[in-house]
Amino acid sequence: MSELVTGEAVALELRPARLPSRALAVLLDLVVAVAVYVAVTIAIVVSTASLDEAAQTALSIATFVLVLVGGPIAVETLSHGRSLGKVACGLRVVRDDGGPIRFRHALVRGLIGVIEILMTFGVVACVASFVSARGRRLGDVFAGTLVVRERIPVARTGFVPPPPPWLAGRFSGLDLSAVPDGLWLAVRQYLTRMQQLDPQVGWSMAERLASDLAGRTGVPVPQGVPPAAYLAAVVHERQSREARRAFGSGPGSSTPSAAGAPPAAEAGPAAHAASVTETPSAAGATSAVYGPPIVPPGAAVESSGGARPEKPHEVPAGDRPGTGFVPPA
């Protein structure tokens, strides 16, 4: 990625074209130009058979200059840096500041291209592209231009797993305004790729990210909550806030915190069971990877007689609902 600064002090991120794609584009342009040159030369020889040798030589030189030199210059000027070969390879010639080229840029590139491409069979252009940090040949250096890629493949965004149901609404009171965008991006990238990481490495990364996130929010990570599950729950809370801010809190999009009800971790087994059945997965169906609704740690459980015990019932670690986040062995 190359950063260019425009005249308005705006930084542009452009991808310079690599040598193989540029060589293929030049080869396509040369094939078209040579084909046109041969056709025009045959037509001129047939039509000027009665002229003397000097006149035919002058016409041949003029045809060479107009077709193989003037043709690419005219095409790049009229198309703003997109010749036939560059269009086929998804490339474009732009100025150093990211703007479209003009006639003077195309003229300098075309004249120097005769020496470094036509007369040396592209050897000088290849050497200059290898030496240059942005893959520019001599014509680009003297003209102040750069060949960039127009068609950039879009990376597929990974699926961010939902948080465990027993953590739904638990972090509704967190202040997320101090969390920078870079940390959000790192957390999202970890959640989308954690299944591809080594368990020990993934666990240490989750602990570091959870520690950084807790430091930004000012609230420590709750005891007994795996760091990966904590990250997923906080990211889900941020996404829920952004959705409510963008679309409003309608009757079908109300959450326990928005409706004034207590969080799922404090509402008892009935509300927790409802949160499990109402948590949609990415495909739109209910998530079944967390197992049966089990009361989270710290929540009170009603006895058969309707009375509550004096101490909260702690669920053993082995009986907690599955979170989808596997700790290291």
Coordinates of all heavy atoms in Angstrom, one line a residue, residues 224-260:
G224 N -14.6 -15.7 36.4 CA -15.2 -16.9 35.9 C -15.6 -16.8 34.4 O -16.2 -17.7 33.9
V225 N -15.4 -15.6 33.8 CA -15.8 -15.4 32.4 C -14.6 -15.6 31.6 O -13.6 -14.9 31.8 CB -16.4 -14.0 32.2 CG1 -16.8 -13.8 30.7 CG2 -17.7 -13.8 33.0
P226 N -14.6 -16.5 30.6 CA -13.4 -16.7 29.7 C -13.1 -15.4 28.9 O -14.1 -14.7 28.6 CB -13.8 -17.8 28.8 CG -14.9 -18.5 29.5 CD -15.6 -17.5 30.3
P227 N -11.9 -15.1 28.7 CA -11.6 -13.8 28.0 C -12.2 -13.7 26.6 O -12.6 -12.7 26.2 CB -10.0 -13.8 28.0 CG -9.6 -15.2 28.2 CD -10.7 -15.8 29.0
A228 N -12.2 -14.9 25.9 CA -12.8 -14.8 24.6 C -14.3 -14.5 24.6 O -14.9 -13.8 23.8 CB -12.6 -16.1 23.8
A229 N -15.0 -15.1 25.6 CA -16.4 -14.9 25.8 C -16.7 -13.5 26.2 O -17.7 -12.8 25.8 CB -17.0 -15.9 26.8
Y230 N -15.8 -12.9 27.0 CA -15.9 -11.5 27.4 C -15.8 -10.6 26.2 O -16.6 -9.6 26.1 CB -14.8 -11.2 28.5 CG -14.7 -9.7 28.7 CD1 -15.6 -9.0 29.5 CD2 -13.6 -9.0 28.2 CE1 -15.4 -7.7 29.8 CE2 -13.4 -7.7 28.5 CZ -14.3 -7.0 29.3 OH -14.1 -5.7 29.5
L231 N -14.8 -10.9 25.4 CA -14.6 -10.0 24.2 C -15.9 -10.1 23.3 O -16.3 -9.1 22.7 CB -13.4 -10.5 23.4 CG -12.0 -10.3 24.1 CD1 -10.9 -11.0 23.2 CD2 -11.8 -8.9 24.3
A232 N -16.4 -11.3 23.1 CA -17.6 -11.5 22.2 C -18.8 -10.7 22.8 O -19.6 -10.1 22.0 CB -17.9 -12.9 22.0
A233 N -18.9 -10.8 24.1 CA -20.1 -10.1 24.7 C -20.0 -8.6 24.6 O -21.0 -7.9 24.4 CB -20.2 -10.5 26.2
V234 N -18.8 -8.0 24.8 CA -18.6 -6.6 24.7 C -18.8 -6.1 23.3 O -19.4 -5.1 23.0 CB -17.2 -6.2 25.3 CG1 -17.0 -4.7 25.1 CG2 -17.1 -6.5 26.7
V235 N -18.2 -6.9 22.3 CA -18.4 -6.5 20.9 C -19.9 -6.6 20.5 O -20.4 -5.7 19.8 CB -17.6 -7.4 20.0 CG1 -18.0 -7.3 18.5 CG2 -16.1 -7.2 20.2
H236 N -20.6 -7.6 21.0 CA -22.1 -7.7 20.8 C -22.8 -6.5 21.4 O -23.8 -6.0 20.8 CB -22.6 -9.0 21.3 CG -24.1 -9.2 21.1 ND1 -24.6 -9.4 19.9 CD2 -25.1 -9.1 22.0 CE1 -26.0 -9.5 20.0 NE2 -26.3 -9.3 21.3
E237 N -22.4 -6.1 22.6 CA -23.0 -4.9 23.2 C -22.8 -3.6 22.4 O -23.7 -2.8 22.2 CB -22.5 -4.7 24.6 CG -23.0 -3.5 25.3 CD -24.5 -3.5 25.5 OE1 -25.1 -4.6 25.7 OE2 -25.1 -2.4 25.6
R238 N -21.6 -3.5 21.8 CA -21.3 -2.3 21.0 C -22.2 -2.3 19.7 O -22.7 -1.3 19.3 CB -19.8 -2.3 20.6 CG -19.4 -1.1 19.7 CD -17.9 -1.1 19.5 NE -17.5 0.0 18.7 CZ -17.2 0.0 17.4 NH1 -17.2 -1.2 16.8 NH2 -16.8 1.1 16.8
Q239 N -22.3 -3.5 19.1 CA -23.1 -3.6 17.9 C -24.5 -3.4 18.2 O -25.2 -2.7 17.4 CB -22.9 -5.0 17.3 CG -21.5 -5.3 16.7 CD -21.3 -6.7 16.2 OE1 -22.1 -7.6 16.5 NE2 -20.2 -6.9 15.5
S240 N -25.0 -3.8 19.3 CA -26.4 -3.5 19.7 C -26.7 -2.1 19.9 O -27.7 -1.5 19.5 CB -26.8 -4.3 21.0 OG -26.6 -5.7 20.8
R241 N -25.7 -1.4 20.5 CA -25.9 0.1 20.7 C -25.9 0.8 19.3 O -26.7 1.7 19.1 CB -24.8 0.6 21.6 CG -24.9 0.1 23.0 CD -23.8 0.7 23.9 NE -23.7 0.1 25.2 CZ -22.9 0.5 26.1 NH1 -22.0 1.5 25.9 NH2 -22.9 -0.1 27.3
E242 N -25.0 0.4 18.5 CA -25.0 1.1 17.2 C -26.3 0.8 16.4 O -26.8 1.7 15.7 CB -23.8 0.6 16.4 CG -22.4 1.1 16.9 CD -21.3 0.5 16.2 OE1 -21.5 -0.3 15.3 OE2 -20.1 1.0 16.4
A243 N -26.8 -0.4 16.5 CA -28.0 -0.7 15.8 C -29.2 0.1 16.4 O -30.0 0.6 15.6 CB -28.3 -2.2 15.9
R244 N -29.3 0.2 17.7 CA -30.3 1.0 18.3 C -30.2 2.5 17.9 O -31.2 3.2 17.7 CB -30.3 0.8 19.8 CG -30.8 -0.5 20.3 CD -31.1 -0.5 21.8 NE -29.9 -0.2 22.6 CZ -29.1 -1.1 23.1 NH1 -29.3 -2.4 22.9 NH2 -28.1 -0.7 23.8
R245 N -28.9 2.9 17.8 CA -28.7 4.3 17.5 C -29.1 4.6 16.0 O -29.5 5.7 15.7 CB -27.3 4.7 17.8 CG -27.0 6.2 17.6 CD -25.7 6.6 18.3 NE -24.6 5.7 18.0 CZ -24.0 4.9 18.9 NH1 -24.5 4.9 20.1 NH2 -23.0 4.1 18.6
A246 N -28.9 3.6 15.2 CA -29.1 3.8 13.7 C -30.6 3.6 13.4 O -31.2 4.3 12.6 CB -28.2 2.9 12.9
F247 N -31.2 2.6 14.0 CA -32.6 2.2 13.6 C -33.6 2.5 14.7 O -34.8 2.3 14.4 CB -32.6 0.7 13.2 CG -31.7 0.3 12.2 CD1 -30.5 -0.4 12.5 CD2 -31.9 0.7 10.8 CE1 -29.6 -0.7 11.5 CE2 -31.0 0.3 9.9 CZ -29.9 -0.4 10.2
G248 N -33.2 2.9 15.8 CA -34.1 3.2 16.9 C -34.5 1.9 17.6 O -34.3 0.8 17.2
S249 N -35.2 2.1 18.8 CA -35.6 1.0 19.6 C -37.1 0.7 19.3 O -38.0 1.3 20.0 CB -35.4 1.2 21.1 OG -34.0 1.4 21.3
G250 N -37.4 -0.1 18.3 CA -38.8 -0.4 17.9 C -39.3 -1.5 18.8 O -38.6 -2.0 19.7
P251 N -40.6 -1.8 18.7 CA -41.2 -2.8 19.5 C -40.6 -4.2 19.3 O -40.6 -5.0 20.2 CB -42.7 -2.8 19.1 CG -42.7 -2.2 17.7 CD -41.6 -1.2 17.7
G252 N -40.0 -4.4 18.1 CA -39.4 -5.7 17.8 C -38.0 -5.8 18.1 O -37.4 -6.8 18.0
S253 N -37.3 -4.6 18.4 CA -35.9 -4.6 18.6 C -35.5 -4.2 20.0 O -34.4 -3.8 20.2 CB -35.3 -3.6 17.6 OG -35.8 -2.3 17.8
S254 N -36.4 -4.2 20.9 CA -36.1 -3.8 22.3 C -35.3 -4.8 23.0 O -35.5 -6.0 22.8 CB -37.4 -3.6 23.1 OG -38.2 -4.7 23.1
T255 N -34.4 -4.4 23.8 CA -33.5 -5.3 24.6 C -33.9 -5.1 26.0 O -34.6 -4.2 26.5 CB -32.1 -4.9 24.3 OG1 -31.9 -3.6 24.7 CG2 -31.7 -5.1 22.9
P256 N -33.4 -6.1 26.9 CA -33.8 -5.9 28.3 C -33.3 -4.6 28.9 O -34.0 -4.0 29.7 CB -33.0 -7.1 29.0 CG -32.9 -8.1 27.9 CD -32.8 -7.3 26.6
S257 N -32.1 -4.2 28.6 CA -31.6 -2.9 29.1 C -32.4 -1.7 28.6 O -32.7 -0.8 29.3 CB -30.1 -2.7 28.8 OG -29.9 -2.7 27.4
A258 N -32.8 -1.8 27.3 CA -33.5 -0.7 26.7 C -34.9 -0.6 27.3 O -35.6 0.4 27.4 CB -33.6 -0.8 25.2
A259 N -35.6 -1.7 27.6 CA -36.9 -1.7 28.0 C -37.0 -1.5 29.5 O -38.1 -1.4 30.1 CB -37.6 -3.1 27.7
G260 N -35.9 -1.4 30.2 CA -36.0 -1.2 31.6 C -35.9 -2.4 32.5 O -36.0 -2.3 33.7

